Amino acid sequence: MLSFVRRGTRLQGKQLAAWERLSGRYLMDVPRGDGETSVDPAARLDAAALFGRRAPLIVEIGAGLGDAVVAAAAAAPETDFIALDVYRPGLSDLMRKADRAGATNIRVIEANAPEVFGTLLRPGSVDEVWMFFPDPWPKKRHHKRRLVSPSFADLVARVLRPGGRWRLATDWEEYAEQMRETLGGVAAFAPANDGADGFAPRFAGRIETGFERKGIAAGRIIRDLTYVRR
Ligand SMILES: C[S@@+](CC[C@H](N)C(=O)[O-])C[C@H]1O[C@@H](n2cnc3c(N)ncnc32)[C@H](O)[C@@H]1O
């Protein structure tokens, strides 16, 4: 079951021009399996080769239009960032923002997160995983599409180093509770949700995106969650 329904991949105008100009610099060429967002299970990511250095590595799942990851990368030039999404127009905007910010510490992967975490990323190779506002799939019959599940948690645990953090945020209360319940039952993770409300304090490294602003405008409460890899 995929966590997304793929929207248009055809780029036009500025997005097409940015894709053509900037892919060579930012986009990782992913060996594919079956399908255009798939990953060849035999492929492995060599972060040192990708970035030309060894540095702490943060992977953002579902980077969307890229605002959070570009701001974070510009603020932390000593850390490397991989932005992951299946939404090509968003990735094109992200690359444009990275270029404008002069960020050399970002690479983009256009692929399905469970496959990237299942095989492409090496075990214990990642310092932090970020997942901000994953699609909430509010209808009950769609809940099975949600990315946060015990099996996906195992894949995140596989790639995080001991002591590494998985940071999540959502504006969907019932998904926040599902995340807390699901991840609280995963032995590989120690919860660090030490805010007064039983969630984590707002992560200071997370800027407010348009997506978050819409949630707030609609009267929703934003929840942060944090888990430490044991
Ligand atoms: C609701 S948006 C949030 C975007 C961004 N994090 C923000 O806060 O504005 C969720 C994003 O997750 C991406 N996504 C959903 N399922 C995915 C998957 N299996 N692999 C990679 N990206 C995925 C979607 O394409 C979308 O861009």
Side-chain angles (χ1 to χ4, degrees), residues 1-7 86 131 133-148 170-172 174-176 178-179 211:
M1 172 60 62
L2 289 175
S3 67
F4 58 92
V5 177
R6 202 146 198 242
R7 291 167 280 177
V86 291
M131 194 176 197
F133 306 98
D135 294 308
W137 293 109
K139 290 187 185 146
K140 194 148 189 153
R141 70 172 191 280
H142 287 150
H143 283 186
K144 54 184 179 290
R145 295 177 183 234
R146 288 177 172 175
L147 262 180
V148 176
T170 180
D171 66 342
W172 202 258
E174 181 260 323
Y175 196 11
Q178 185 203 314
M179 288 173 178
F211 192 86

Side-chain angles (χ1 to χ4, degrees), residues 45-53 57 80-82 104-107:
L45 185 137
D46 179 349
L50 190 63
F51 289 96
R53 66 173 184 177
L57 181 63
D80 289 333
F81 291 81
I82 289 177
T104 56
N105 54 337
I106 301 186
R107 297 293 181 278

Side-chain angles (χ1 to χ4, degrees), residues 1-7 37 60-68 84-88 90 109-116 130-137 145 147 152 169 171 206-212:
M1 172 60 62
L2 289 175
S3 67
F4 58 92
V5 177
R6 202 146 198 242
R7 291 167 280 177
T37 59
E60 188 186 14
I61 302 170
L65 303 178
D67 296 293
L84 177 60
D85 210 300
V86 291
Y87 181 51
R88 189 174 294 176
I109 297 183
E110 183 187 32
N112 180 28
E115 295 173 67
V116 172
W130 293 356
M131 194 176 197
F132 303 148
F133 306 98
D135 294 308
W137 293 109
R145 295 177 183 234
L147 262 180
F152 188 68
D171 66 342
R206 180 170 73 71
I207 64 147
E208 192 179 82
T209 64
F211 192 86
E212 175 172 6

Side-chain angles (χ1 to χ4, degrees), residues 21-33:
R21 184 167 67 86
L22 298 169
S23 298
R25 197 178 332 152
Y26 289 113
L27 187 72
M28 183 184 164
D29 193 12
V30 180
R32 302 295 177 185

